[in-house]
Amino acid sequence: MTTFPDAPADAGTAETVIRTRRSTIRLTEPAPGPDELLDLLAAAATAPDHGQLRPWRLIAICGDARLRLGEAAAEAAPTADQAERIAAKHLRAPMMLAIVFQPRDHPTIPRWEQLAATSAMATTLLLLLHVRGWGGIWFGGPYPDAPPVRKHLGIGDREQLLGYLYVGTPVSGQAPRPHAPADVRSKLSWHGGTER
Ligand SMILES: Cc1cc2nc3c(=O)[nH]c(=O)nc-3n(C[C@H](O)[C@H](O)[C@H](O)COP(=O)(O)O)c2cc1C
C-alpha cells in the first residue's frame, strides 16, 4: 500500500528556497544540459494537475536556434528599430524554454484548470532551477501569438505559447527585482472557523 510521505526533514529549507527565489534577468552560460533538464522536468511535473493530463510541452531553444527564433519574432515588429531590439531579446539567456499549453478536450476538466496546472508546473520548475543554483525568469514574449513565431516553433492550432522561461547561470553582482511586500491580509478572507 502506498502511504503519504511525511513532511520532509528539510522542509524549512524548502521554504527558504521559495522565499529566496528571485527572477534573474542577467543570465550567462552555461544552462542545464538535457539530462538535468529532464530530471528537473520530472520533478516539476508533480505539480498539481487535475487528471494528470500534463496539458503542456516545452521546447528548449539554445545556441543559434535563438537567433532563428529572434528573426521570426522580429518579423512581427512594427519598425526596423524594434525588430532589432526584439531579435536581441532572444539572446539574453543561453536557454529559452518555450512553455506550450496543450489544452485537451475533457468531459470534466475545463480549460482553465489545465491552464492553472501548466502555470503550476512552470512555477515549480523555476523553483527547482533556483534550488540547483540556476537562474530563470518567465517572460510572456516577445510576440507569443505572432504567426511567424507560432510557425517557427510549430505551435499547433489548438496550442498556445505561454512565453518563455529564460534560463542560465546568474551573472553575479546583480540586484534582484525588488519585491514589494504583499498585503496578504487584504488577500485573505475567512468564512467560518476561528475568529481572527
Ligand atoms: C506568465 C508570466 C509572464 C511574464 N511576463 C513578463 C514580461 O513580459 N516582462 C516582465 O518584465 N515581467 C514578466 N513577468 C514577471 C517576471 O517573470 C517576474 O515574476 C517579475 O519580474 C517579478 O520578479 P520575481 O519573480 O523576482 O518576483 C511575467 C510573469 C509571468 C508569470
Side-chain angles (χ1 to χ4, degrees):
M1 185 180 70
T2 311
T3 56
F4 283 103
D6 293 332
D10 56 356
T13 311
E15 183 172 337
T16 302
V17 164
I18 292 164
R19 287 181 182 274
T20 58
R21 183 208 61 81
R22 283 296 177 280
S23 295
T24 327
I25 298 177
R26 292 175 58 211
L27 296 159
T28 188
E29 299 278 359
D35 289 346
E36 181 167 16
L37 190 55
L38 281 175
D39 189 41
L40 291 169
L41 198 52
T46 64
D49 179 359
H50 191 174
Q52 299 187 23
L53 298 178
R54 311 272 152 69
W56 44 263
R57 65 187 177 93
L58 270 59
I59 307 168
I61 303 144
C62 304
D64 286 353
R66 296 169 306 159
L67 289 171
R68 292 191 288 276
L69 175 60
E71 285 163 11
E75 284 181 42
T79 66
D81 256 15
Q82 285 182 41
E84 204 170 304
R85 274 196 292 116
I86 290 298
K89 285 183 183 214
H90 294 74
L91 300 176
R92 14 180 203 212
M95 176 190 282
M96 295 170 73
L97 287 176
I99 310 286
V100 185
F101 177 43
Q102 296 186 303
R104 309 279 157 76
D105 289 325
H106 193 281
T108 57
I109 304 175
R111 190 182 193 277
W112 75 263
E113 290 191 6
Q114 299 182 41
L115 186 57
T118 303
S119 183
M121 179 283 298
T123 305
T124 306
L125 184 53
L126 280 174
L127 287 167
L128 288 158
L129 287 163
H130 173 50
V131 170
R132 301 265 184 106
W134 300 109
I137 185 165
W138 192 349
F139 280 137
Y143 302 131
D145 298 323
V149 172
R150 293 180 61 90
K151 182 164 181 247
H152 180 83
L153 289 175
I155 308 295
D157 288 345
R158 290 172 45 83
E159 294 183 324
Q160 184 179 358
L161 177 58
L162 303 181
Y164 309 93
L165 303 187
Y166 289 71
V167 178
T169 301
V171 173
S172 62
Q174 65 184 302
R177 288 184 156 189
H179 260 185
D183 175 16
V184 288
R185 278 196 185 279
S186 72
K187 299 290 181 190
L188 176 66
S189 55
W190 293 83
H191 290 200
T194 316
E195 266 318 296
R196 286 167 176 90

